Amino acid sequence: MAHYHIRKYQESDRTWVLGLLSRGMAEHVPRTFHHLLKLPRTLALLLGGPLALFLVSGSWLLVLVANLTLLIALRFLAQYPWSQFVANSLHTDMCDISKSYFSEPGSCFWVVECEGQVVGMVGALPTEESTLRKEQLQMLHLNVALEHRRQGIAKALVRTVLQFAAHQGYREVVLTTSMLQHAALALYQRLGFQTTRQYFFSKSWAVIAVPEFQLTYWLPSAQGCQAPGQRGACDLFPDWLGQPCSSNKRTLRSHYDSTVTEFVC
């Protein structure tokens, strides 16, 4: 039985956190490569290109070399956007995590610890739009180590962010995820997030035809108002005041500003 606890980020966690970020993004490369191979334009190139090349050159060896070169190029194309995301993160909010997430109120970064190792993480920052900074909180870098998934850790991290947002007075929590991150999309939708926007993050994402989805969770007001079809705070936080969560098989004690949130799987 593994014991996990969620706590605020410390500088000693930096190596673990950056490792989670890099490995988490690298996991998406094979899925992106398979997605590229199934695109109509890629299939046309892989099937029609060799035939045209053979008709021109008459060499099967040249056809084989050309196909191998194309596959290598497609693999690089599948990896490039994820590598760029990591590089951009390391030059922005993840460059100095303490400064980015703890220098001002209304933001935070949490990690999940298990047996002395950091096995999960999530961050929360006010949105970059100046008119929405006091109303909208961004959830960033949700990640759980592969060998610790399916234990309810990601759900606990999302709940931690939502609880934090509610106590800080935000009206919305927003996040972005890609079309290929099926498990993440399903989790967010189960917790009450709704898709509010679809777009391509950059030209490299448009080239590989992988759109980003922006999802929003509207936090209930003090009067209990909420978006149609969305669960309220009591559904998400049955342990709002630190009591055990009766609807969860795991023991979960949660308070957004405590040193740790402990749960057993």
Side-chain angles (χ1 to χ4, degrees):
M1 184 177 290
H3 293 258
Y4 300 91
H5 64 271
I6 299 172
R7 59 170 173 80
K8 291 181 180 179
Y9 168 86
Q10 302 168 1
E11 277 304 311
S12 58
D13 302 323
R14 179 172 175 80
T15 301
W16 291 102
V17 165
L18 296 186
L20 273 175
L21 175 67
S22 298
R23 290 191 298 273
M25 295 303 102
E27 286 178 24
H28 302 309
V29 175
R31 189 180 300 117
T32 308
F33 180 63
H34 294 150
H35 165 75
L36 273 174
L37 291 177
K38 290 188 267 185
L39 292 177
R41 59 174 177 264
T42 306
L43 291 173
L45 191 59
L46 286 171
L47 298 175
L51 179 60
L53 188 60
F54 178 75
L55 291 175
V56 171
S57 66
S59 171
W60 285 111
L61 179 61
L62 185 60
V63 169
L64 178 62
V65 171
N67 261 9
L68 288 175
T69 303
L70 178 59
L71 289 173
I72 292 171
L74 288 172
R75 178 73 179 189
F76 172 79
L77 194 60
Q79 181 179 351
Y80 180 76
W82 303 106
S83 300
Q84 280 297 104
F85 177 83
V86 173
N88 290 338
S89 297
L90 293 176
H91 283 89
T92 52
D93 62 309
M94 300 296 277
C95 176
D96 188 335
I97 298 172
S98 294
K99 182 178 179 181
S100 298
Y101 289 89
F102 295 102
S103 59
E104 296 181 6
S107 57
C108 196
F109 198 99
W110 298 268
V111 298
V112 181
E113 186 175 344
C114 178
E115 299 178 351
Q117 299 182 10
V118 173
V119 300
M121 65 180 188
V122 71
L125 285 174
T127 187
E128 294 179 355
E129 295 182 43
S130 57
T131 57
L132 296 174
R133 283 188 66 83
K134 294 183 179 180
E135 297 185 4
Q136 200 174 75
L137 185 71
Q138 289 180 294
M139 189 171 74
L140 302 161
H141 305 301
L142 177 65
N143 206 319
V144 177
L146 183 61
E147 60 273 19
H148 292 274
R149 291 177 190 166
R150 300 186 182 277
Q151 303 293 329
I153 298 174
K155 184 186 293 185
L157 284 169
V158 174
R159 286 177 167 177
T160 298
V161 174
L162 294 177
Q163 190 174 9
F164 174 80
H167 277 280
Q168 291 290 316
Y170 289 101
R171 297 175 61 88
E172 302 171 4
V173 176
V174 298
L175 61 90
T176 58
T177 191
S178 77
M179 176 189 74
L180 298 178
Q181 293 169 270
H182 308 300
L185 274 169
L187 171 65
Y188 299 140
Q189 290 167 352
R190 284 198 305 270
L191 289 176
F193 283 83
Q194 298 179 20
T195 303
T196 51
R197 185 185 173 201
Q198 180 176 329
Y199 64 101
F200 291 110
F201 184 75
S202 65
K203 290 182 179 179
S204 59
W205 293 99
V207 168
I208 63 175
V210 176
E212 295 280 312
F213 296 119
Q214 178 177 291
L215 291 94
T216 303
Y217 185 92
W218 288 274
L219 289 158
S221 69
Q223 290 75 30
C225 297
Q226 58 195 62
Q230 178 173 282
R231 289 177 289 173
C234 293
D235 298 312
L236 282 169
F237 311 120
D239 53 338
W240 185 270
L241 296 177
Q243 299 301 317
C245 176
S246 59
S247 64
N248 197 327
K249 294 181 181 179
R250 302 175 180 87
T251 301
L252 175 62
R253 296 193 302 277
S254 177
H255 189 283
Y256 82 94
D257 201 27
S258 61
T259 304
V260 296
T261 298
E262 297 183 352
F263 57 106
V264 180
C265 297

